[in-house]
Amino acid sequence: MTDLKRVIKGGFKNFARGGLVSFASVLISTITLSVITSIIILQAVLYFSLNVIKDKVDVTIYLNVGVEEEEAMLLKTSLEKLPEVAEVTYTSAEDALAQFRERHSTDYPTIQSLDEIGENPLGSSLNVKAKEISQYESIVNFLKSDNALVSGSASII
């Protein structure tokens, strides 16, 4: 027990005698820990941001005006069968028009022009989400192939 007291007492004496060196070593340790902590936090924020961005990526297929809902559902079914596809959402022409009107509700000239047309100028669409970002190219290639397009009435924009 006496030896432990002497070690602690000697440590405090040496710490007090070499104040500048002790302060410098504590400062360097603090800066090092702060930099390491900052890097870990930055890495976590970047991974979180990357995952959020990955969730927002998708492909929207705009179908020509007048495409029957049955044809769109056939295309949706063929897309859902692909192993790369996570989700396919169908938006009818009426829903697209309602969303357009809601989005541009404060733009009077646009709404007035839409009313003057008298009919729905928008077509239906399919929103496709892939399981991985790298798989979108194969989905687009499938859509460009002849077997994906239902009787040639769908167009990719």
Side-chain angles (χ1 to χ4, degrees), residues 143-156:
L143 290 170
K144 288 181 180 179
S145 68
D146 291 335
N147 58 351
L149 300 178
V150 179
S151 66
S153 60
S155 66
I156 301 168

Side-chain angles (χ1 to χ4, degrees), residues 2 35 37 62 65-66 83 101-102 108 120 133 137 140 146 150 153 157:
T2 306
V35 168
T37 303
Y62 295 98
V65 177
R101 283 186 179 274
E102 182 180 325
Y108 180 72
N120 186 357
I133 290 179
E137 185 177 357
V140 171
D146 291 335
V150 179
S153 60
I157 297 176

Side-chain angles (χ1 to χ4, degrees), residues 14-104:
N14 288 334
F15 194 78
R17 285 183 191 157
L20 186 59
V21 174
S22 300
F23 175 73
S25 63
V26 168
L27 182 65
I28 288 173
S29 298
T30 303
I31 290 172
T32 303
L33 289 174
S34 298
V35 168
I36 291 171
T37 303
S38 298
I39 289 172
I40 291 171
I41 290 173
L42 182 64
Q43 180 183 10
V45 168
L46 289 175
Y47 278 125
F48 176 75
S49 300
L50 184 63
N51 287 334
V52 168
I53 291 170
K54 281 182 181 179
D55 289 341
K56 291 185 178 185
V57 175
D58 59 2
V59 172
T60 302
I61 305 162
Y62 295 98
L63 305 176
N64 288 336
V65 177
V67 171
E68 296 295 322
E69 187 172 345
E70 295 82 25
E71 294 176 354
M73 288 301 148
L74 286 173
L75 181 58
K76 178 182 178 195
T77 305
S78 65
L79 283 169
E80 288 173 337
K81 290 178 184 176
L82 292 175
E84 298 92 358
V85 174
E87 178 185 2
V88 180
T89 308
Y90 172 74
T91 304
S92 67
E94 293 78 24
D95 292 340
L97 181 63
Q99 290 172 1
F100 184 84
R101 283 186 179 274
E102 182 180 325
R103 192 175 28 230
H104 298 285

